[in-house]
mmCIF file of all heavy atoms in Angstrom:
data_model
loop_
_atom_site.group_PDB
_atom_site.id
_atom_site.type_symbol
_atom_site.label_atom_id
_atom_site.label_comp_id
_atom_site.label_asym_id
_atom_site.label_seq_id
_atom_site.Cartn_x
_atom_site.Cartn_y
_atom_site.Cartn_z
ATOM 1 N N ASN B 1499 3.958 8.359 10.208
ATOM 2 C CA ASN B 1499 3.791 8.352 11.659
ATOM 3 C C ASN B 1499 4.337 9.635 12.278
ATOM 4 O O ASN B 1499 3.718 10.205 13.171
ATOM 5 C CB ASN B 1499 4.505 7.138 12.270
ATOM 6 C CG ASN B 1499 3.584 5.944 12.428
ATOM 7 O OD1 ASN B 1499 2.786 5.893 13.356
ATOM 8 N ND2 ASN B 1499 3.676 4.998 11.505
ATOM 9 N N VAL B 1500 5.492 10.067 11.794
ATOM 10 C CA VAL B 1500 6.076 11.292 12.340
ATOM 11 C C VAL B 1500 5.275 12.509 11.878
ATOM 12 O O VAL B 1500 5.057 13.455 12.638
ATOM 13 C CB VAL B 1500 7.555 11.409 11.938
ATOM 14 C CG1 VAL B 1500 8.177 12.645 12.578
ATOM 15 C CG2 VAL B 1500 8.320 10.167 12.363
ATOM 16 N N MET B 1501 4.809 12.457 10.619
ATOM 17 C CA MET B 1501 3.982 13.569 10.122
ATOM 18 C C MET B 1501 2.713 13.712 10.958
ATOM 19 O O MET B 1501 2.225 14.815 11.198
ATOM 20 C CB MET B 1501 3.631 13.352 8.649
ATOM 21 C CG MET B 1501 4.817 13.567 7.699
ATOM 22 S SD MET B 1501 4.451 13.031 6.014
ATOM 23 C CE MET B 1501 3.491 14.406 5.386
ATOM 24 N N LEU B 1502 2.192 12.573 11.393
ATOM 25 C CA LEU B 1502 1.018 12.597 12.263
ATOM 26 C C LEU B 1502 1.309 13.428 13.510
ATOM 27 O O LEU B 1502 0.452 14.156 14.002
ATOM 28 C CB LEU B 1502 0.633 11.169 12.661
ATOM 29 C CG LEU B 1502 -0.498 11.037 13.680
ATOM 30 C CD1 LEU B 1502 -1.828 11.415 13.036
ATOM 31 C CD2 LEU B 1502 -0.563 9.629 14.234
ATOM 32 N N GLY B 1503 2.552 13.319 13.978
ATOM 33 C CA GLY B 1503 2.944 14.064 15.169
ATOM 34 C C GLY B 1503 2.810 15.569 15.001
ATOM 35 O O GLY B 1503 2.629 16.303 15.965
ATOM 36 N N ARG B 1504 2.897 16.032 13.765
ATOM 37 C CA ARG B 1504 2.792 17.473 13.516
ATOM 38 C C ARG B 1504 1.347 17.941 13.409
ATOM 39 O O ARG B 1504 1.076 19.103 13.099
ATOM 40 C CB ARG B 1504 3.572 17.863 12.250
ATOM 41 C CG ARG B 1504 5.069 17.662 12.393
ATOM 42 C CD ARG B 1504 5.897 18.607 11.549
ATOM 43 N NE ARG B 1504 5.545 20.014 11.666
ATOM 44 C CZ ARG B 1504 5.876 20.785 12.695
ATOM 45 N NH1 ARG B 1504 6.530 20.308 13.707
ATOM 46 N NH2 ARG B 1504 5.518 22.044 12.703
ATOM 47 N N HIS B 1505 0.424 17.030 13.663
ATOM 48 C CA HIS B 1505 -0.997 17.322 13.448
ATOM 49 C C HIS B 1505 -1.440 18.676 14.012
ATOM 50 O O HIS B 1505 -2.128 19.443 13.351
ATOM 51 C CB HIS B 1505 -1.858 16.208 14.055
ATOM 52 C CG HIS B 1505 -3.316 16.359 13.765
ATOM 53 N ND1 HIS B 1505 -3.881 15.932 12.593
ATOM 54 C CD2 HIS B 1505 -4.319 16.930 14.474
ATOM 55 C CE1 HIS B 1505 -5.169 16.223 12.604
ATOM 56 N NE2 HIS B 1505 -5.467 16.818 13.730
ATOM 57 N N ARG B 1506 -1.036 18.959 15.254
ATOM 58 C CA ARG B 1506 -1.585 20.177 15.876
ATOM 59 C C ARG B 1506 -1.028 21.458 15.262
ATOM 60 O O ARG B 1506 -1.503 22.537 15.548
ATOM 61 C CB ARG B 1506 -1.353 20.144 17.385
ATOM 62 C CG ARG B 1506 0.076 20.423 17.830
ATOM 63 C CD ARG B 1506 0.149 20.320 19.348
ATOM 64 N NE ARG B 1506 1.469 20.604 19.863
ATOM 65 C CZ ARG B 1506 1.791 21.754 20.492
ATOM 66 N NH1 ARG B 1506 0.902 22.693 20.640
ATOM 67 N NH2 ARG B 1506 3.016 21.926 20.965
ATOM 68 N N HIS B 1507 0.003 21.309 14.446
ATOM 69 C CA HIS B 1507 0.573 22.503 13.809
ATOM 70 C C HIS B 1507 0.066 22.704 12.392
ATOM 71 O O HIS B 1507 0.451 23.637 11.710
ATOM 72 C CB HIS B 1507 2.101 22.414 13.796
ATOM 73 C CG HIS B 1507 2.679 22.301 15.161
ATOM 74 N ND1 HIS B 1507 2.723 23.352 16.034
ATOM 75 C CD2 HIS B 1507 3.189 21.250 15.834
ATOM 76 C CE1 HIS B 1507 3.253 22.960 17.182
ATOM 77 N NE2 HIS B 1507 3.542 21.683 17.081
ATOM 78 N N LEU B 1508 -0.773 21.793 11.930
ATOM 79 C CA LEU B 1508 -1.271 21.892 10.555
ATOM 80 C C LEU B 1508 -2.691 22.444 10.580
ATOM 81 O O LEU B 1508 -3.559 21.878 11.228
ATOM 82 C CB LEU B 1508 -1.277 20.511 9.890
ATOM 83 C CG LEU B 1508 0.061 19.769 9.896
ATOM 84 C CD1 LEU B 1508 -0.134 18.341 9.413
ATOM 85 C CD2 LEU B 1508 1.056 20.494 9.027
#
Side-chain angles (χ1 to χ4, degrees):
Chain B
N1499 267 282
V1500 183
M1501 287 170 79
L1502 174 71
R1504 294 209 50 77
H1505 186 83
R1506 75 181 181 106
H1507 301 287
L1508 305 171

